[in-house]
Amino acid sequence: MIRCLAVDDEAPALLILADYISQLPFLTLVGTTTNPIEALTLVQQGRVDLVFLDIQMPKLTGLQFLKLAGNKCKVVLTTAYPEYALEGYENDVVDYLLKPISFERFFKAAQKALALLPGPSAAAVAPVPMAAAVAAPLAPPAAGHMFVKGESKNKFLRVNYADILYIEGLSNYVSIHLPTQRVVTYQTLKELAETLPQPPFLRVHKSFIVSLDKIRMVDGNTIYILDKEIPVSDTYREQLYRLIREA
């Protein structure tokens, strides 16, 4: 087993990485931390084989971490900033993942690490077939929830998937509609769509994601959830009707 550590200063990013790691049989999660100093200590103690490492962090950046860690572990960089890619590869990282990270892209990085790490822990484990790995995100994670940013940097709100009626995109924000409240968070609809389990969630318009479980009626190009009328664009209509017929 490859012993993995996820390091990021944002809790939602750690939750996603922990879920992805749990889905691959040749990876095992040593822990997650928002403290790069703590992570560096674990690496120097020889307790970690592979680190999924954010770049922009307080106290110690990911690139500074790389230099201090030396060759004691392999590193996959995870960041929202593509401009650091060249410097990352110059420091011999396994891979460079841009957020939001899809499971398929994460899987490819994990396979690279599996090929690079020496010893029986890596060689003895057969790679997971790609078709099986890509299919995994289609089922909701066991946790059944996600965390979204609140109005302050260190505030995160838990949202249960089962409570979501629909999600509306508002430029760089999304509005998550629940039965008794509305949660607004700084994130694009595209980013959120890539992390939600599909089904039951389906994008039906450039500005809307719906929960198929909450649809009361579909009439032509309009979805009805409670009293809300949600438009369906031509781009997504065929997939919507196919899923309705298969339900």
Side-chain angles (χ1 to χ4, degrees), residues 46-218:
R47 297 166 61 183
V48 179
D49 302 313
L50 178 65
V51 179
F52 291 92
L53 179 69
D54 188 24
I55 289 181
Q56 293 283 23
M57 293 182 294
K59 297 182 182 178
L60 190 69
T61 69
L63 295 175
Q64 290 170 333
F65 182 103
L66 279 172
K67 294 173 183 176
L68 292 171
N71 296 319
K72 290 185 178 295
C73 67
K74 293 296 183 182
V75 173
V76 173
L77 290 176
T78 62
T79 180
Y81 302 96
E83 60 266 28
Y84 295 106
L86 179 59
E87 191 171 355
Y89 285 119
E90 287 176 348
N91 283 277
D92 199 29
V93 298
V94 174
D95 209 341
Y96 192 96
L97 301 181
L98 281 176
K99 299 176 182 178
I101 302 167
S102 69
F103 182 82
E104 180 177 2
R105 187 66 185 85
F106 175 88
F107 175 82
K108 290 179 180 178
Q111 289 281 55
K112 288 182 181 179
L114 183 66
L116 290 171
L117 283 165
S121 61
V125 183
V128 177
M130 190 56 170
V134 175
L138 297 179
H145 63 265
M146 63 180 176
F147 284 88
V148 298
K149 288 183 180 179
E151 61 272 17
S152 63
K153 179 181 178 181
N154 295 318
K155 182 176 181 180
F156 298 93
L157 304 173
R158 172 174 166 154
V159 177
N160 293 325
Y161 292 137
D163 294 335
I164 298 174
L165 301 172
Y166 63 93
I167 302 168
E168 184 176 3
L170 307 166
S171 185
N172 289 325
Y173 291 83
V174 295
S175 177
I176 304 171
H177 292 259
L178 309 173
T180 58
Q181 68 178 122
R182 183 169 66 100
V183 175
V184 178
T185 182
Y186 183 74
Q187 189 175 18
T188 67
L189 198 67
K190 180 179 183 295
E191 290 170 345
L192 188 58
E194 293 178 353
T195 62
L196 287 169
Q198 302 174 31
F201 295 101
L202 178 68
R203 190 166 187 176
V204 296
H205 187 272
K206 66 179 182 179
S207 300
F208 288 96
I209 295 172
V210 301
S211 171
L212 296 173
D213 296 337
K214 301 300 191 297
I215 294 177
R216 178 170 61 85
M217 180 174 67
V218 178

